[in-house]
Amino acid sequence: MTVVLNPATEEEIAEIPGASVEDADLIVQAARRAFPAWRAIAPADRARLLRRLAGLVEEHGEELALLETRNVGKPIQDSRGEVAMVAEVFYFYAGAVDKHHGETIPVAGGVDLTFREPLGVVGLIVPWNFPIAIASWKLGPALACGNTVVLKPAELTPLTAVRLGELALEAGIPVGVLNVLPGSGSVVGQRLVEHPDVAKIGFTGSTEVGRSVMAGAAGTIKRVTLELGGKSANIVFADADLEAAAASAPVAVFGNAGQDCCARSRILVERSAYDRFVELLVEASGEVRVGDPEDAATQMGPLISADHREKVSSYADDNVVFRGNAPSDRGFWFPCTLVEATNEDRVAREEVFGPVAALIPFEDEDDAVRIANDTPYGLSGSIWTRDGAQALRVARAVETGVLSVNSNTSVRVATPFGGFKQSGFGRELGMHAMDGYSEVKNVYIATGE
Ligand code: NDP
């Protein structure tokens, strides 16, 4: 049995039986049995079932949001937004079912057709920081393409995944199509990665575990999509709207208590504007409301666990220019923290995954790009400037999968999301995700012409 805690109160909120390797094998078998019928279902019917699931997520939105908040410690307003996005994701992929198709290609002597074929059973392994949201990013395209799935939530945060599985059955999605397998990563996660009947792993998590997923998948030449860690740069040029950039920067790194792969945890500021920007940023950081995640006014909750808090605190001792307030009684709290650093310091090189940002000055455009790229990661980032040409030059030069200009957002349902370098490969969301859950089959028909 795994005991599930509320990280804001340390109260036990559930007990979940951890699945065994034998359970994993039974679930993969069930998914395998369900595959032929799910693949063959009329596209309009598959779309209708996904739309029904989206509708049920909306109907149960408040319940799912509260479950997520209690399990992850994230502010209820964030959970509401994420659950609304889950419904939007299922609506989007319901619409994608019959819009992701093959081509006819002109060739000599016949006709050449391509088909988009589902892969079979896919394993979806997700982390604890955005449990239901990240699950939906994988489930939507995987199911829309005609695959059956085994979803393995993180051991710390299985609750919304289990509820989503129930809602899928209520929506009429056939038994065996969407399976939920709570359990430990090193036991059932690993089994999915190595299982000969699992055709693909869609994984989100740390770069370290991503490496072992890639290695484990090699034995069966399994397809993998990896969404891994990040150390993204928030680049602020001196000509930017400094007030807007400073007002937005705290959410970009303290949102979800910094437990966000897209966190802009390196704040790069042009030296001539550095002092003014830091003054504005400290003021804005002091306004972040930290406290009870179930209060609609709260902007930052606790970290996920005591162990994780210990790890985060090891990055927040030196050159601190700001430390906010946080509750000090029960719960895994940690305050918003700004530290001055160079890009060589540990806080600027490693993914902290907590509310700690490194402030780094730069000299000019080339220096900004050099520092931004001097990291093994390449997931996200922002550029703040009023110079449109500069924004485009820097956007092209920064080695990262997702960038925003004069904004700190990273994720939109219709647009591709994913990393460069050691932040992983493959794309989630938008129509790009459909490519990752299907194979292209090429059929040539000789016509005697
Ligand atoms: P982990 O990599 O530890 O875990 C992610 C998932 O993988 C969990 O479900 C975990 O199971 C499972 N897992 C662990 N070991 C194995 C294994 N050997 N084989 C198969 N599966 C395994 O990451 P965290 O859950 O700690 O999440 C935090 C990390 O995720 C951060 O580094 C963050 O950057 C990254 N992340 C990346 C995102 C992206 O899109 N790029 C988005 C969100 C997070 P269990 O925990 O149950 O043991």
Side-chain angles (χ1 to χ4, degrees), residues 47-118:
R48 197 170 295 119
L49 291 168
L50 287 175
R51 263 196 301 279
R52 257 193 229 148
L53 177 58
L56 284 173
V57 168
E58 284 178 322
E59 223 174 274
H60 293 265
E62 195 55 24
E63 174 203 339
L64 289 166
L66 201 54
L67 208 52
E68 196 80 317
T69 282
R70 291 195 175 146
N71 194 171
V72 185
K74 66 175 70 210
I76 187 71
Q77 286 299 69
D78 292 0
S79 296
R80 287 180 180 134
E82 287 161 31
V83 169
M85 186 200 198
V86 170
E88 208 189 317
V89 167
F90 288 128
Y91 282 126
F92 181 91
Y93 288 105
V97 168
D98 57 5
K99 292 170 195 67
H100 186 251
H101 41 63
E103 322 148 273
T104 55
I105 302 170
V107 289
V111 177
D112 199 283
L113 308 169
T114 63
F115 294 86
R116 297 280 184 168
E117 304 280 5

Side-chain angles (χ1 to χ4, degrees), residues 126 128-129 152 155 185 203-206 227-229 261 351 353:
V126 300
W128 44 258
N129 56 343
K152 196 211 86 66
E155 249 192 322
F203 174 83
T204 298
S206 59
E227 299 290 354
L228 309 174
C261 49
E351 185 176 45
F353 228 53

Side-chain angles (χ1 to χ4, degrees), residues 200-218:
K200 173 189 172 133
I201 295 288
F203 174 83
T204 298
S206 59
T207 295
E208 191 189 342
V209 176
R211 253 180 226 116
S212 94
V213 168
M214 208 169 157

